[in-house]
Amino acid sequence: MSKTYRIAIIGCGGIANGKHMPSLNKLKNVEMVAFCDIIPEKAQEAADKHGKGETRVYEDYRELLKDSTIDIVHVCTPNDSHAEITIAALEAGKHVMSEKPMAKTAADARRMVEAAKRTGKKLTVGYNNRFRSDSQHLHQLCSEGELGDIYFAKAHAIRRRAVPTWGVFLDEEKQGGGPLIDIGTHALDLTLWMMNNYEPKVVLGTSYHKLSQRENAANAWGPWDPSKFTVEDSAFGMITMKNGATIILESSWALNTLEVDEAKCTLSGTEGGADMKNGLRINGEKHSRLYTTEVELKAGGVAFYDGETESAPDLEMRLWIQAIENDTDPVVTPEQACVVSEILEAIYESAKTGKAVYFD
């Protein structure tokens, strides 16, 4: 019989309730047995809703990690505590999934990679957009060489007016940044994964506080408080890779544009191109003619039946547990996630200094 994995949730806020716990609940070989939050009521509420068997509730994650029966920890806290909690959990003998971005700083991300190697425990980061059906299909095409050598790409993370006004999203001290580290990180991860290219050479970046100080601004979640908006509202970067490939990264929570795309990428290779702007489209040249193919991603195909599909979060959690069970690498490796953090930090540094940032 397969092992039943005992899981602890540290941070019982929006992402834990919206993604981690509902998807973990669908797996037969896991049970959530411990819940921790600095607001005890949140941890208790999560335990009541998602706990199995005898559950425990904690306010201090250090006390939770003393439980030797816990196999896996999911870290769903603000960015500035990802590294501290993850490293402590790895050293306590737990496998860890940390929410994205990997850490607030690149140095912390590197410490997390080193801790995983030192302890021999598995570590992954919650880049859930890799698990969408369009992402999975495009990655397969890229892996099989259908686009050839991908030498130009765009990573899209643009909102017209959708600034998150809850939690600590606007707090630079807690988060490390705004839309770049929040949603730009997803788009960059997706793009690097498609290209299978994790060797940056030089980064040039800009960031803006153009709309953040506006009173009573139109916004999907209501007006933000300008006095609390301490992060950028937009940031952009140009990344040149060691093999000569170029990536343009665009991220914004609030921009005067009708071109709105989030967690998507556009790829241009020697044999073809692809984009995710209106579904998944592949373009290229055959028999001296240009072509565009729109990929049908629905699972159906017969009348009155839409087919069975697995949501991105459900697939993400299932494959994560399978990696532990089968002792294989997780889909998102810590080394890959670390490079994302290093590039994001370089964009912020370049924006601050006005100079390009070179990698060794």
Side-chain angles (χ1 to χ4, degrees):
M1 294 181 64
S2 64
K3 172 183 172 68
T4 297
Y5 293 93
R6 291 169 60 84
I7 297 182
I9 306 295
I10 300 179
C12 299
I15 195 65
N17 282 282
K19 182 181 82 167
H20 292 253
M21 294 189 289
S23 292
L24 287 171
N25 247 341
K26 297 176 183 178
L27 299 175
K28 294 180 180 179
N29 62 335
V30 307
E31 55 184 22
M32 286 173 278
V33 298
F35 303 83
C36 179
D37 199 280
I38 58 174
I39 302 174
E41 293 79 10
K42 285 189 175 183
Q44 187 61 59
E45 184 179 347
D48 293 342
K49 186 174 182 180
H50 298 286
K52 290 184 179 179
E54 183 179 342
T55 61
R56 293 187 178 183
V57 171
Y58 300 84
E59 191 173 350
D60 187 341
Y61 76 87
R62 298 172 188 85
E63 292 300 313
L64 179 153
L65 294 179
K66 293 177 181 178
D67 185 346
S68 61
T69 69
I70 292 172
D71 303 298
I72 303 167
V73 169
H74 282 223
V75 179
C76 305
T77 59
N79 299 348
D80 66 338
S81 60
H82 286 183
E84 173 190 328
I85 299 172
T86 294
I87 292 170
L90 290 168
E91 292 177 340
K94 325 296 185 188
H95 303 292
V96 180
M97 171 180 277
S98 172
E99 252 309 313
K100 63 78 194 171
M102 189 171 192
K104 177 182 171 182
T105 68
D108 276 347
R110 288 189 287 268
R111 288 174 54 225
M112 292 164 73
V113 172
E114 191 277 329
K117 291 179 179 178
R118 184 177 70 251
T119 61
K121 292 299 176 179
K122 296 194 184 299
L123 170 61
T124 193
V125 176
Y127 283 116
N128 54 280
N129 287 287
R130 290 195 190 190
F131 301 89
R132 300 188 326 236
S133 58
D134 59 341
S135 302
Q136 289 281 303
H137 187 75
L138 180 55
H139 185 256
Q140 183 179 358
L141 295 181
C142 293
S143 298
E144 293 173 355
E146 186 153 330
L147 303 188
D149 174 24
I150 303 171
Y151 58 92
F152 178 68
K154 291 183 179 180
H156 309 288
I158 296 292
R159 298 175 182 174
R160 186 181 181 188
R161 288 291 191 285
V163 176
T165 55
W166 64 91
V168 296
F169 280 103
L170 304 183
D171 186 339
E172 185 172 15
E173 184 62 30
K174 288 286 185 183
Q175 291 294 89
L180 179 62
I181 202 169
D182 177 39
I183 58 176
T185 190
H186 275 300
L188 179 58
D189 172 73
L190 204 59
T191 305
L192 296 176
W193 187 52
M194 296 302 175
M195 300 173 76
N196 190 28
N197 191 340
Y198 291 91
E199 296 187 331
K201 178 182 178 182
V202 59
V203 169
L204 187 64
T206 55
S207 67
Y208 298 94
H209 298 261
K210 296 291 187 180
L211 304 182
S212 61
Q213 299 307 301
R214 300 203 172 185
E215 300 279 354
N216 300 313
N219 190 49
W221 294 290
W224 56 79
D225 181 349
S227 67
K228 296 179 180 179
F229 205 139
T230 61
V231 297
E232 82 280 359
D233 52 58
S234 300
F236 309 93
M238 186 178 81
I239 305 123
T240 302
M241 310 301 284
K242 287 183 179 178
N243 72 342
T246 301
I247 301 171
I248 304 298
L249 171 58
E250 50 186 32
S251 65
S252 181
W253 283 335
L255 196 68
N256 288 322
T257 180
L258 298 179
E259 290 288 324
V260 175
D261 293 295
E262 188 171 335
K264 297 179 181 179
C265 63
T266 299
L267 308 172
S268 298
T270 53
E271 302 304 316
D275 71 68
M276 299 167 140
K277 286 182 169 288
N278 294 297
L280 178 57
R281 303 183 300 184
I282 312 299
N283 67 82
E285 174 188 3
K286 286 183 180 179
H287 309 298
S288 301
R289 299 289 183 180
L290 299 177
Y291 73 89
T292 304
T293 300
E294 296 184 5
V295 180
E296 177 57 68
L297 294 167
K298 292 182 180 179
V302 296
F304 310 114
Y305 179 66
D306 291 331
E308 296 181 4
T309 58
E310 189 173 22
S311 72
D314 289 355
L315 180 60
E316 178 184 24
M317 297 304 159
R318 179 170 65 81
L319 294 182
W320 161 233
I321 300 302
Q322 281 184 4
I324 295 170
E325 193 170 34
N326 300 328
D327 193 20
T328 56
D329 286 338
V331 174
V332 181
T333 69
E335 291 83 3
Q336 291 170 343
C338 184
V339 173
V340 175
S341 290
E342 289 174 335
I343 292 174
L344 295 178
E345 186 167 279
I347 292 174
Y348 280 126
E349 182 180 344
S350 175
K352 184 177 180 179
T353 64
K355 298 178 181 179
V357 174
Y358 288 84
F359 287 73
D360 292 331

